[in-house]
Amino acid sequence: MIHPGGRAYTEALLNRAQITESSRVIDVGCGVGTNAIEIATRHGADVTPVAITRLLLERAGATVAADGRAVE
């Protein structure tokens, strides 16, 4: 995953976010979907990835599908 703060930032954010199985999360700037998968795996939440380009959304969809999750 490549973003400011890296994995440590993601861990801190997920620990503070209070996401539950009934949460609906929008991952704005989703990149290739790594964080969306982590949120869904860790918390069982419904996650919607959002990106500025179709290419990134396609890559995120492929990452999520490779993980065995539904892509909508």
Side-chain angles (χ1 to χ4, degrees):
M1 114 183 41
I2 302 172
H3 60 77
R7 185 70 183 171
Y9 174 79
T10 299
E11 285 298 323
L13 178 65
L14 292 180
N15 289 332
R16 296 186 71 176
Q18 299 179 5
I19 299 169
T20 67
E21 189 174 302
S22 62
S23 295
R24 296 190 62 178
V25 178
I26 299 175
D27 182 6
V28 177
C30 66
V32 298
T34 306
N35 289 335
I37 290 171
E38 182 68 22
I39 292 166
T41 300
R42 187 181 296 193
H43 302 287
D46 180 24
V47 184
T48 301
V50 177
I52 195 167
T53 67
R54 179 164 298 284
L55 176 62
L56 283 175
L57 283 176
E58 289 170 356
R59 288 185 179 171
T63 302
V64 171
D67 191 62
R69 301 194 183 277
V71 179
E72 296 179 19

